[in-house]
Amino acid sequence: MNADQKMRQSTSASAYGARAGTGAGSGAGDGDPPGRVRRFWSERRVPAGIVALVIAAVSGLLLYDVAAVRSGRRAMRWRDWLADELASRPLDNAWIVGGAALLAALGVWMVILAMAPGLRGLLPMRAPEFEPGPEPEPGPGAEAEAAVRAGIDRTSAGLVLRDRAMEVPGVRSARVDVGRRRIRARALAHFRDLDEVRADLDTALHEGIRQLGLARPPALSVHVRRSAKSKG
């Protein structure tokens, strides 16, 4: 990249938390800390069912083979082979060490998956703030209303922010990638000064993030460059 191309590019990376007074992280009033909103947890019914079925099948097979041996029958070939291999191979054998490491890694991976919330593509939104009024009477309806939570898909949030970016004068095309901790926006400008386009784009995207109402607004990174057709 030559010096002229470097002069035609403008990059801005700003943490959205710095604008907490006017951004999505602000509470009901100035200085009020935002309420703690946790991520959505995946129910994991299908993976848990598959793991339970596999464990039940293996346990049932072992139990059947042990009962058959106790009743005077010969053990299954695979169990004889496995018992002979474990009895004949030393503990420092490559296959023994590799198998133990694989099982340990699999166990750690399953523990991490069990402790992780999941649903990484869903961003939680902060709870709406209502005007003070009479408290609702206790009942099933009040509990259901209190349990309602909102979230937005990261892809949908990226499309909304991209539409906001395309409204900025001078932006020819834009791409917005929404992550859990950072939003990266890349735009091509075909007229106006790059610094002006970048400043307007930064303001528009911050306002768009605020209107999304995210519980934890990610940091924003904006990159603007001149399109090839405009250079020619």
Side-chain angles (χ1 to χ4, degrees):
M1 180 180 296
N2 54 35
D4 182 67
Q5 290 177 338
K6 291 182 180 179
M7 292 295 295
R8 289 175 176 268
Q9 293 188 356
S10 174
T11 304
S12 170
S14 56
Y16 188 66
R19 303 191 180 185
T22 58
S26 59
D30 294 338
D32 294 338
R36 180 176 177 83
V37 180
R38 297 184 177 181
R39 289 177 53 190
F40 290 90
W41 279 78
S42 175
E43 296 182 354
R44 299 184 178 93
R45 294 179 179 177
V46 175
I50 294 176
V51 172
L53 289 177
V54 171
I55 294 176
V58 174
S59 301
L61 185 61
L62 288 174
L63 181 61
Y64 171 79
D65 192 51
V66 170
V69 172
R70 292 293 183 180
S71 63
R73 297 183 181 179
R74 182 178 178 83
M76 294 183 180
R77 293 182 179 179
W78 66 269
R79 200 159 75 91
D80 284 340
W81 173 83
L82 182 60
D84 293 339
E85 291 293 328
L86 293 177
S88 59
R89 293 180 182 271
L91 294 179
D92 58 350
N93 183 266
W95 287 99
I96 300 297
V97 175
L102 178 62
L103 292 177
L106 181 61
V108 172
W109 179 63
M110 294 182 66
V111 170
I112 293 175
L113 289 181
M115 297 178 62
L119 298 178
R120 298 175 60 88
L122 192 61
L123 299 176
M125 303 172 67
R126 68 178 186 272
E129 299 168 356
F130 301 97
E131 297 181 357
E135 296 183 358
E137 298 181 358
E143 295 179 359
E145 183 178 356
V148 172
R149 298 179 59 193
I152 183 171
D153 184 74
R154 291 194 305 182
T155 303
S156 302
L159 293 177
V160 172
L161 295 178
R162 184 184 66 85
D163 292 340
R164 293 296 299 266
M166 293 300 298
E167 296 176 358
V168 176
V171 175
R172 181 185 183 91
S173 62
R175 177 181 176 180
V176 180
D177 298 323
V178 179
R180 291 180 51 239
R181 295 181 176 86
R182 180 171 294 275
I183 297 177
R184 293 179 173 85
R186 301 176 179 86
L188 293 178
H190 57 106
F191 68 93
R192 296 182 66 197
D193 183 72
L194 289 182
D195 291 334
E196 295 179 358
V197 175
R198 194 273 307 161
D200 292 345
L201 183 60
D202 188 82
T203 302
L205 291 180
H206 272 98
E207 178 64 18
I209 295 174
R210 187 190 67 81
Q211 293 181 356
L212 288 178
L214 300 178
R216 299 183 184 90
L220 177 62
S221 173
V222 178
H223 182 81
V224 181
R225 63 185 179 90
R226 187 74 67 190
S227 62
K229 294 182 179 180
S230 299
K231 293 178 183 179

